[in-house]
Structures are given as structure tokens and as C-alpha cells.
């Protein structure tokens, strides 16, 4: 009797639960694979727009980017400051602006101290191997090699092997 039952089951069409199981399983695998590590970081996005990763300090916790308009926001845990090439630099916990290939404009949240005054860096542009920073009334250019690594909050590139949390960007 059992062999008849097995034969009928094996020869008949699959039950509805089995038919729904496979598509549901495929949907779950798709959702898992699309959310696991495939999302580019803010540093990856900089590279996509032809900028070096060192324009952002280590420790970016997240970002938003509208690929149609180029509007972006990058988030740090807290305000971040350090000194690079004699300049005091300060990043607020949220940096925003518009990104396009070779140009960051309408920047908010990045400041540089010139003499005794803090000024907003409003634009960054790349011209070949040169990165230009503009505060509106004046600009300064630096070689791209200065920005191949991300500086650390608190010490920039002069950390003298201090361990200040995650060293990956």
C-alpha cells in the first residue's frame, strides 16, 4: 500500500507549497546578496568621480548620494579636525554638496583656518594631477599624491603609529 502511495506522489504534480517554495527561496537569496557588501562606500564613490579617497578622513559612517543630481551627504561620528601641510582642517559631522566628475561644489561642512580666520571650503576640483581647493575668494592647489590616503581625525597623517580606532577607510 505504501508503495502505491509513493508512486502516486512521485508521478503526480508537485503540491502548491513546493511550487511556491522555490521562488520564495530565490527572492530571499536575491535580497541577501543585494544587501551584503555590494554597496559602495563613500570612498568608492569618490574614486568613481575621479577623486582620491583622502579628501575624506577615516571614519565615514555612511553617506547619501543622488546619482541623478549629484547631491550628497557624508556622515562622520563627530566633528573631525587635524592639521595637513600647515593648514588646520575641520570636518563637521555632516558634509554635503554636489559631486560631478572632477568637481565637488556647493560644499558645506569643511573648513580651513587661514591665519586666524576659519573659512568654508566651497569647491574642490581636479585638474590632471592637481587638486584645487576654493574658499570663494581664493584657492590653493596641491598634488594628488597628498590625498591618496585618508587622514585620521585628531592627527591627520602625523599620527606616529597611534592607534585611534579603525584604520580602514
Amino acid at each position: 500500500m505504501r508503495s502505491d502511495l509513493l508512486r502516486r506522489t512521485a508521478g503526480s504534480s508537485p503540491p502548491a507549497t513546493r511550487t511556491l517554495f522555490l521562488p520564495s527561496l530565490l527572492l530571499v537569496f536575491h535580497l541577501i546578496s543585494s544587501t551584503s557588501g555590494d554597496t559602495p562606500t563613500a570612498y568608492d564613490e569618490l574614486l568613481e568621480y575621479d577623486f582620491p579617497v583622502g579628501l575624506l578622513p577615516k571614519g565615514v559612517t555612511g553617506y547619501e548620494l543622488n546619482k541623478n543630481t549629484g547631491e550628497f551627504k557624508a556622515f562622520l561620528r563627530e566633528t573631525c579636525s587635524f592639521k595637513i601641510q600647515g593648514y588646520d582642517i575641520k570636518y563637521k559631522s555632516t558634509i554635503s554638496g554636489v559631486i560631478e566628475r572632477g568637481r565637488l561644489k556647493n560644499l558645506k561642512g569643511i573648513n580651513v583656518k587661514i591665519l586666524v580666520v576659519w573659512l568654508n571650503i566651497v569647491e574642490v576640483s581636479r585638474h590632471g594631477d592637481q587638486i584645487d581647493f576654493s574658499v570663494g575668494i581664493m584657492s590653493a592647489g596641491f598634488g594628488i599624491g597628498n590625498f591618496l590616503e585618508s587622514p585620521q581625525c585628531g592627527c591627520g597623517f602625523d599620527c606616529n603609529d597611534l592607534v585611534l580606532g579603525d584604520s580602514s577607510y
Side-chain angles (χ1 to χ4, degrees), residues 14-139:
T17 55
R18 286 187 194 167
T19 306
L20 292 175
F21 178 73
L22 184 58
S24 298
L25 186 61
L26 291 174
L27 177 63
V28 168
F29 283 136
H30 173 70
L31 290 174
I32 290 171
S33 67
S34 66
T35 58
S36 63
D38 290 343
T39 304
T41 66
Y43 308 98
D44 294 332
E45 293 292 354
L46 279 174
L47 293 170
E48 284 294 315
Y49 286 90
D50 206 23
F51 285 107
V53 296
L55 292 182
L56 286 173
K58 292 179 182 181
V60 171
T61 59
Y63 74 100
E64 299 171 0
L65 173 62
N66 181 326
K67 292 271 191 176
N68 295 324
T69 64
E71 294 177 342
F72 74 89
K73 288 184 180 178
F75 307 102
L76 298 165
R77 289 182 200 100
E78 58 190 5
T79 299
C80 174
S81 58
F82 47 86
K83 188 176 273 224
I84 292 182
Q85 296 192 4
Y87 291 98
D88 289 321
I89 308 289
K90 186 185 308 180
Y91 285 77
K92 293 185 178 174
S93 58
T94 301
I95 303 137
S96 64
V98 177
I99 190 170
E100 53 192 49
R101 184 158 305 285
R103 186 173 178 211
L104 293 160
K105 61 184 182 179
N106 303 333
L107 288 172
K108 293 183 176 103
I110 307 172
N111 302 304
V112 60
K113 187 176 183 181
I114 299 177
L115 299 175
V116 294
V117 179
W118 284 95
L119 300 171
N120 295 324
I121 295 177
V122 295
E123 187 170 309
V124 178
S125 56
R126 178 174 180 177
H127 306 282
D129 288 339
Q130 185 84 8
I131 301 286
D132 294 328
F133 296 85
S134 173
V135 293
I137 55 173
M138 59 186 177
S139 64

